[in-house]
Each structure stands twice: as structure tokens, then as C-alpha cells.
Amino acid sequence: MIASKSKQRSRGWKEGCCCRCIIQLGWMIYWMIEWLAEGILFIASSKFRIMVAIVISYAFLSTTALFIAGFFENSAVAPSLWNKWIPDELSPTWERIRLDLLDKEMKRKEMLKLLELERDSKREEMKLKGRDEWEEISTKSITDSVLIEKMGKHSDIDRLFQVKGDYLGDIKNDWSQAYNLYKKANELNPLEVNYLANMAWALLKLNRGKEAMKCLWKSYEIRPTYGSLVSLIDVAWKLNDWEKYDWLHGKVLEGAREGVQRREKVWLNPYLALHLPLTLEELKWISRGYSMSHDATDIRYMSKAMMLTYPKWDGKRKIRVGYVSPDIRNHAVGIQIRSMFEYHDHDSFEIFVYSVNEEAKMPDHVYAKVNQTADRLTDIHIKEWSEAAKRINDDQCDILIDLALFTAYSRMDVFAAKPAPIQVAWLGLAVTTGAPHYDYIIADQTVIPEESFPHYSEKVVWMPHSYHIFDHKQFYGLPSSKKYSFSQYLFSTKIPTDQPPPTQFFFCNHQNNYRLDPQIIYHWTNILKRTNGTTLIIKHQTDESTDEVKKQALSFGISTEVDTPGEWPRLLFMRGGGMDHIHQKSICNLYIDIPKYNGHSTSGDMLWAGVPVLTLPLESMASRAAASFIKTSGIPELIADSWEDYEEKAVWLSSFPPEYFAFRKKIEDERMTNPLFDTFLFVKHLEEAFEEMMRIRYAEKSNPRHFQVQNLQSTFGAKQLQNPT
């Protein structure tokens, strides 16, 4: 009954609204014509002036008509946004999207009316009940006893259930109970979208992704904000849920570009932004919005207010270098930087390491190694940025390096306080910070070519080889020369035998499933369709995401099923490995990179395992990293210059031409002398960069500028021990 009344009201409201719009539009046109007619009579003292007035009037009315027509056009995505991003086979049907949007809008308004009626029926009895006590407990520390007492007394206050859910989820890690409490809060107040978002977060923690997506879509239908769209695409990438991907992807991209054009902060984390086809200038603005959002009013004056002092340097004392990272632990970044502190010249440099993550602690092997080899390892778990900045400034570092940037647990707020005179962005995320308080970014000529300099707020430091450090030689040691055998336990999908035929060619990609999208699946399936006896191995993340990838591949004509017993499937999903994962990955013949966001640690793993890497560099630093690694390894032939070239090279190499074996032999033979894996050499280049930064500031008394580091390979190359420690 309520629903039918709601529909009638909604239909009547729509009809009335349309009538009012038509009447208002008619009056507007009438007044414009009358105003123009009066203007024409006023200026028409000659035939020439009449002619001019008519032309101007015609132009004005035409422009107005075009504006009105454009205003009422309801297109979800401008086709130009897709021109160079989505293949023709994936181009959305604009009419279907338009109708879909109109249908969604009608359903959304009907649902809102229904929810408003439900809420209003409860509002009177809930209006004042218990509010004083709610204010009382909101100022107290949250404990089980306080919440249980208040919830028993006021079982109809939705916020109590939310707070209890937050407590159980974030503190107790009981996401099942947290979800039940968020659900109860949502039942009490179905129009509060935060409860739906909390339900979705709890469901993701419980590996119930499909239900999480439903909660987020419902949240968007109630309050269609840009933040809701970003949450949706974030979870869609995590789950590889591509059912409405074309529309969702286009809306997020369109919203980001509109925010950039208006010079507003775009509520899109730069890490997410790197997965969209944004320009470098758009990425710079989005990054700036995030890096400058740390209490900007105070930051403008904080250095003076906090009385921060900077050290002097006469060129004689040690240069004090500080590294700030949340990943001094068993983490991709931690593993790569593990040995570098030992290789610093401690007679010329004093090395400070600041660990800003409580999870990084003894007996973690990375933390223990850094604690042993750095001059000082300091835990800074202070939440207040001003205190953390003061603590770092007390050490009087000359150069401070941010190893996290926009990644989890980073402390960009501390860097905004400028606790050191020279601040450097490196390694954590391959993107500009967009912020004036970072002076330099460590890069190379491949990831940031000279023509891209204007799109980076920092001055670019070109390393002689790659900007990335890989400590594989020390951490993993030399991979076994014996080829790793296939075993069923490695795969979540069934394999026919442990011994594939020698002619079977295995493509692979072991990147996180977050990087996948319909476009890369489209190109990969094209490669499979053009080759015989080939299989693509993808990393298995969750059962849900694996099923979605299978479904997408099937839509492009590639099935995971086999027609003949003993035949190898075209698509396999490989489980992650432990310390032996480098050796496991060596079963692959060719690693095919994801162009929009390259495998960084993953590409390094494959090259260390002796597996050739094929990539297609685009515009962003994150999309050009693998090309840097490949060039440094001396195999630039594996860098494609277009999507067509990417597919052609993959098809060519799958036939095992002589060049394929030459590439593999070069990688394996030169592995121990490859500058990409020479941590000792990399540290010497880094020290050369630090000395140049100090010379520019203190000897030249100049502002930061771009420069290139001298190649010291002939002096320091391949000098370090090759055994793992």
C-alpha cells in the first residue's frame, strides 16, 4: 500500500515538475524575445544597425537553444573519454546507458520516498529519547561495559550500534559481530549511508564481496556522491566485478576530470587514480589535493610556530640522511631496502631510519637487519604530526626521504611540516606528490623523460640506470638452475599433468588482481586466440575474483574448460608462494606486463628468475617502470610501442624463435652483474645524488634543480657478495 502510494506521489510529482518546467521555459523564452525586440528598436536607427541586431539576436537565440538542448541531455560518459582507452569491442552502447540511467533515477527516487516514509514513522518516538545520554557516552572512552549498558537502555539509537560495531571491528577484529551491529543501525535509520558503507567494509573483511557491492550500490542510490562512485570502483577492482564497469569507470573518470578543471580537490586517492587513463597534469593536481590536505591552515605557518631549525653544512662533516617508512618489515618495500643501509659509506653519511608503523617491530627479519645496520632506527608512532616532525627535526637531518608517499600508514603530514631542509620522494608510489614541500623525486630517463618534467612538482633526479632498487641478490640468492616442476598444489585450477609438453608455452602475470580490467583481459585473450599450445597463468586472489576473470575471458572467446583429456587449459590461476616464489615463477616462459600500472616488485622477480618481461609503456611513471627495468637488463627489444605491437611481440615469442632463447640466456648470464640487482652500486649512486643536492643548496646557494647522477658502475659495479644474508 505504501509502495503504491509512493509510486502515485512520485508519478504526480514528475508530471507536475515537467509542467512547471515547460511553463517556466516558455516564460523565459517570451521574456528573452521581448527583451531582444526592445533592444532592436532601441538601436535600429538605420538599416545597417537593424541587420547587425538581427545577426546578434540569431546568434544569441541559437546558442541558447544549443545550451538548453545540451542541458537536458543525460549522457553518462562522454565518448571522447573512451577513444584511446577501450577497444571497439568494449565500447559502451550510449543509448543503453542513457536508458539505464533514467530507469535507475526513477527507481532511486521511488526507493527514497519509501525509506523516508519508514523513517518518518519512527522519528517522533526516537526524536529526543536518550540523546542526552548519547552525548554523555560520546565524550567517554568506549568500552564493552559502557556500550552494553547504553544499548540495553536505548536499543533504538542507531549510532550506538555503529560505535559498538566500530569497536568490535577495529579493536577486537570481530567483523562478523560488527556487521550485525551495522546492519541493525541501518535498519533503524535506512537513509544513513555511512551504515551501508560500514556494512560493506565488514563484508569485505569476511570475504563476502558480492554482498559488499550490493551495500555500496544501495548507498549510491540513496546519496549519489562522487565518493560513493570511488568506493564502488575500488571494490569492483578488488573483486574484478565488471558487470557495470564501463558506466562506473566512465563516471569516476569524468568526475575526476571535472574536479581538475574546476581546480577543486578530487576525492580520489592517487593510487586509485593511477589505474585510470588520466593525463600527467591531472595526476599532479589530484596528488596535490591529497598531499596538501594535512591541516593546510596550520601548515602554512607551522615551521615558524614550531621553531624548527635546520642544520648548517660546511662540506666537512657527515651528511645526515633520514629515511621515513611504515614498511621496515616483511613487505615488498622492506625487502628491497633491507641491505642498503649496510652499504652506505658510514664515514661520510650518518643514516637515520624512522619506522612509522607499529606493525614493524622485532623479531621481524627486515626490522632486525635495519636495526643492526643503520646508525639509528627510531620508532615514531606519534599520531600528532607536529610532535613527529619535531622529533625528526631534533636529529637535524640534512636530507629526509619519504619511502611511502600515498601508501598505507604513510606520514605525508609530517613531511608537510618540512622537518628537514631537503625532502625527497622515492620508491613508495611512482607518482608526483604535487606538493611544494618535496624538493626532489628519484627517477630515471625512462620513467620520467625530460618532456614530462613540467608535470612533476619536484625536481627530477635521473639515476644512471633504473630508479628502483632490488635486493634480490642478497635476499633470495641465485635461483636454482633446475627448472621448477608443475604441481597441482600451486594452482587453484586443475592441471592435466605435472609434466607439460616441451612445446607448451606459458604466458604469465602475477600482479595483484586489482590491476586487472576488461581491456587487459581483451588483449590477453586476443594473444591466446592467435596462438596454439599456449596457456596464460594469472595470480589467484580469491574464488570470487577468479570466477569473474573466467567469465570475462569466456565473453571474449577463451574458456578454462578443455575439450580433450590431457589438454592444457588456456587459463590457469596460480596461488602465491612463500620464500620460494621466485623459483616457482620460473615455470613461465614470458611475463606479459599490465601497461596501465606495471608490476614493480613482480617484474623484478621475473627478471631475477630468468623470465623475459614484455611491457608497453604509457605516460605515467607507474606505467613506465617495467620499461626501465628491461632497458637496464639490456633487452629493449621487449618494449612495445603500441597495443598492436604488444600483441605481435607476444605471439612471435610464443613460437620459441631463436631470439627468445637469446633473451633468456642474456638475462640469466648477466643476472649477477646486472645493475638492476646491484644494491651496492645503487647506494653509491644514491650517495652521489645526496652530495649533489647538498652542493646545490650550500655551495651554489641555489634552489633545487634537475640533475643527472654520474654513472659509477666502472668503479663500484658488481662488487658486493652474492650470497644471501
Side-chain angles (χ1 to χ4, degrees):
M1 184 67 183
I2 293 174
S4 68
K5 286 182 178 179
S6 175
K7 289 181 180 178
Q8 291 171 7
R9 289 193 192 98
S10 178
R11 191 180 303 113
W13 181 85
K14 286 177 181 291
E15 292 170 357
C17 181
C18 291
C19 291
R20 284 195 296 272
C21 285
I22 292 169
I23 292 169
Q24 292 293 332
L25 185 61
W27 275 110
M28 183 176 71
I29 294 170
Y30 171 80
W31 285 114
M32 282 195 298
I33 293 171
E34 185 177 18
W35 179 80
L36 286 169
E38 290 177 357
I40 290 169
L41 291 173
F42 179 78
I43 64 172
S45 59
S46 69
K47 292 183 179 180
F48 175 77
R49 289 184 180 179
I50 292 175
M51 188 180 301
V52 171
I54 291 172
V55 170
I56 293 173
S57 302
Y58 176 80
F60 181 82
L61 287 171
S62 300
T63 304
T64 304
L66 287 171
F67 172 78
I68 294 169
F71 181 81
F72 284 101
E73 184 181 357
N74 192 14
S75 176
V77 187
S80 60
L81 299 180
W82 298 86
N83 285 348
K84 294 186 178 180
W85 182 245
I86 300 296
D88 292 339
E89 289 81 349
L90 297 180
S91 295
T93 305
W94 308 116
E95 182 63 18
R96 176 180 59 79
I97 289 178
R98 188 182 68 80
L99 294 174
D100 184 49
L101 276 177
L102 290 173
D103 183 57
K104 282 180 180 297
E105 183 65 11
M106 292 175 63
K107 289 180 179 178
R108 186 180 74 83
K109 288 178 177 177
E110 289 178 2
M111 183 190 71
L112 284 177
K113 287 290 183 183
L114 181 60
L115 290 174
E116 285 171 2
L117 288 172
E118 292 178 1
R119 185 184 64 177
D120 291 345
S121 67
K122 297 177 182 178
R123 178 168 287 173
E124 289 305 315
E125 60 181 283
M126 292 179 61
K127 191 171 183 181
L128 297 173
K129 190 176 180 181
R131 292 302 169 186
D132 292 338
E133 294 207 28
W134 163 251
E135 295 298 330
E136 177 189 346
I137 72 158
S138 66
T139 59
K140 293 182 178 180
S141 60
I142 303 300
T143 63
D144 276 328
S145 58
V146 169
L147 285 169
I148 289 171
E149 175 193 348
K150 300 304 178 186
M151 289 173 71
K153 195 171 181 180
H154 303 289
S155 59
D156 54 359
I157 300 180
D158 48 279
R159 290 180 67 192
L160 278 174
F161 289 92
Q162 179 201 12
V163 173
K164 176 66 173 178
D166 292 344
Y167 174 73
L168 287 176
D170 296 333
I171 307 300
K172 298 292 187 180
N173 204 32
D174 185 351
W175 291 103
S176 179
Q177 285 299 317
Y179 168 73
N180 291 332
L181 289 163
Y182 294 145
K183 186 178 179 182
K184 178 65 177 175
N186 175 250
E187 290 171 354
L188 290 170
N189 188 357
L191 287 180
E192 178 51 68
V193 294
N194 288 331
Y195 302 153
L196 288 165
N198 289 340
M199 288 168 63
W201 179 248
L203 287 166
L204 286 172
K205 291 285 187 178
L206 297 170
N207 292 321
R208 293 161 61 182
K210 291 289 186 183
E211 296 173 72
M213 283 295 286
K214 289 180 181 178
C215 290
L216 291 174
W217 276 113
K218 188 173 182 181
S219 171
Y220 178 72
E221 288 168 354
I222 294 173
R223 190 185 300 167
T225 64
Y226 186 72
S228 299
L229 286 170
V230 172
S231 296
L232 276 165
I233 200 165
D234 180 38
V235 176
W237 276 327
K238 288 174 182 174
L239 302 176
N240 302 130
D241 186 342
W242 299 317
E243 184 180 351
K244 303 173 184 177
Y245 184 77
D246 52 357
W247 180 85
L248 182 58
H249 180 277
K251 289 294 285 184
V252 172
L253 184 61
E254 187 179 46
R257 285 181 166 158
E258 287 176 355
V260 171
Q261 289 170 1
R262 292 194 298 266
R263 311 311 279 172
E264 298 173 350
K265 176 174 178 177
V266 179
W267 293 98
L268 182 68
N269 184 286
Y271 173 72
L272 273 69
L274 286 170
H275 294 77
L276 294 167
L278 294 161
T279 67
L280 289 179
E281 195 59 31
E282 288 165 343
L283 285 172
K284 179 181 175 181
W285 180 261
I286 291 169
S287 294
R288 177 182 172 82
Y290 266 75
S291 59
M292 295 294 288
S293 64
H294 304 291
D295 208 354
T297 305
D298 292 338
I299 283 171
R300 193 176 306 163
Y301 308 104
M302 73 169 67
S303 294
K304 291 182 180 179
M306 293 167 56
M307 300 184 70
L308 297 180
T309 60
Y310 294 148
K312 304 295 183 185
W313 188 68
D314 57 5
K316 297 177 181 178
R317 67 163 173 81
K318 293 181 181 180
I319 297 173
R320 291 189 284 266
V321 179
Y323 294 89
V324 181
S325 175
D327 300 319
I328 310 299
R329 55 194 172 112
N330 188 30
H331 178 276
V333 171
I335 289 171
Q336 307 306 343
I337 64 173
R338 178 176 172 268
S339 298
M340 66 176 289
F341 308 108
E342 178 182 2
Y343 301 152
H344 269 299
D345 178 2
H346 292 269
D347 292 331
S348 302
F349 295 87
E350 189 174 0
I351 305 302
F352 298 81
V353 179
Y354 302 99
S355 175
V356 294
N357 184 355
E358 294 180 358
E359 294 180 12
K361 56 189 175 183
M362 299 290 276
D364 183 280
H365 65 92
V366 173
Y367 188 92
K369 175 81 170 177
V370 175
N371 187 47
Q372 186 180 31
T373 56
D375 291 302
R376 187 184 303 174
L377 172 59
T378 304
D379 292 319
I380 297 185
H381 303 151
I382 307 166
K383 290 185 178 180
E384 183 58 44
W385 53 259
S386 57
E387 293 180 37
K390 187 69 170 64
R391 176 66 190 83
I392 292 173
N393 183 253
D394 288 343
D395 288 333
Q396 291 290 278
C397 289
D398 299 297
I399 300 171
L400 194 65
I401 302 168
D402 191 347
L403 292 170
L405 302 177
F406 299 101
T407 58
Y409 309 109
S410 68
R411 294 306 304 266
M412 296 187 81
D413 56 341
V414 175
F415 278 82
K418 194 74 173 177
I422 300 173
Q423 299 192 154
V424 182
W426 176 49
L427 200 62
L429 194 65
V431 69
T432 181
T433 63
H437 43 267
Y438 287 88
D439 302 290
Y440 295 98
I441 184 170
I442 303 296
D444 59 58
Q445 294 186 57
T446 301
V447 292
I448 306 182
E450 189 171 358
E451 59 267 24
S452 298
F453 283 3
H455 307 298
Y456 287 79
S457 58
E458 311 85 0
K459 298 305 178 184
V460 178
V461 177
W462 273 350
M463 298 295 272
H465 302 110
S466 177
Y467 81 99
H468 205 289
I469 185 172
F470 288 103
D471 200 40
H472 288 60
K473 191 186 297 184
Q474 285 66 237
F475 188 70
Y476 294 110
L478 187 64
S480 172
S481 58
K482 183 180 179 181
K483 189 172 177 64
Y484 203 91
S485 60
F486 279 77
S487 297
Q488 182 59 63
Y489 84 91
L490 288 176
F491 299 94
S492 64
T493 42
K494 187 173 178 55
I495 62 174
T497 175
D498 289 352
Q499 294 295 328
T503 56
Q504 189 74 25
F505 191 94
F506 291 96
F507 299 106
C508 70
N509 184 283
H510 299 290
Q511 288 178 253
N512 191 302
N513 70 306
Y514 195 87
R515 311 277 167 82
L516 300 177
D517 62 22
Q519 185 193 22
I520 194 62
I521 300 299
Y522 166 77
H523 288 291
W524 286 348
T525 52
N526 275 357
I527 292 168
L528 291 175
K529 286 187 286 189
R530 295 177 58 190
T531 55
N532 295 317
T534 58
T535 296
L536 172 61
I537 299 175
I538 302 176
K539 182 178 179 179
H540 171 80
Q541 203 78 29
T542 66
D543 291 340
E544 282 184 334
S545 67
T546 294
D547 289 343
E548 291 296 330
V549 174
K550 287 180 181 178
K551 189 191 304 181
Q552 188 69 57
L554 185 60
S555 72
F556 294 140
I558 293 295
S559 172
T560 55
E561 305 298 324
V562 294
D563 299 327
T564 308
E567 181 184 355
W568 278 80
R570 306 307 305 275
L571 207 55
L572 285 176
F573 293 86
M574 191 176 187
R575 296 188 176 94
M579 279 293 292
D580 201 27
H581 77 101
I582 298 286
H583 196 190
Q584 289 177 6
K585 291 173 181 176
S586 67
I587 63 177
C588 302
N589 299 111
L590 179 67
Y591 178 86
I592 45 179
D593 193 33
I594 297 177
K596 71 173 180 180
Y597 196 125
N598 300 165
H600 291 58
S601 296
T602 314
S603 295
D605 291 346
M606 301 310 299
L607 290 168
W608 185 250
V611 178
V613 174
L614 173 65
T615 191
L616 168 61
L618 301 178
E619 192 178 26
S620 72
M621 188 176 178
S623 74
R624 303 179 67 83
S628 168
F629 309 158
I630 292 169
K631 277 186 182 178
T632 304
S633 300
I635 47 174
E637 298 88 345
L638 296 181
I639 301 174
D641 56 23
S642 66
W643 279 110
E644 292 76 16
D645 191 36
Y646 178 87
E647 289 189 21
E648 287 297 330
K649 278 179 163 51
V651 172
W652 168 59
L653 291 168
S654 71
S655 64
F656 290 112
E659 291 87 347
Y660 170 79
F661 296 103
F663 293 144
R664 186 142 196 162
K665 187 175 188 303
K666 183 177 179 64
I667 295 169
E668 293 174 349
D669 290 351
E670 300 178 7
R671 182 161 37 200
M672 302 309 289
T673 57
N674 186 345
L676 188 67
F677 301 111
D678 196 334
T679 304
F680 185 82
L681 175 62
F682 187 92
V683 172
K684 297 304 111 181
H685 286 146
L686 206 54
E687 289 175 349
E688 184 74 11
F690 294 157
E691 289 175 347
E692 182 64 16
M693 292 174 192
M694 296 294 282
R695 280 193 292 268
I696 291 170
R697 179 178 175 87
Y698 293 101
E700 297 180 9
K701 300 187 183 305
S702 301
N703 292 325
R705 57 174 169 78
H706 307 295
F707 66 88
Q708 184 170 5
V709 175
Q710 178 187 358
N711 190 349
L712 304 174
Q713 186 175 7
S714 60
T715 306
F716 296 108
K719 281 182 173 287
Q720 198 46 48
L721 294 175
Q722 300 172 359
N723 297 323
T725 58

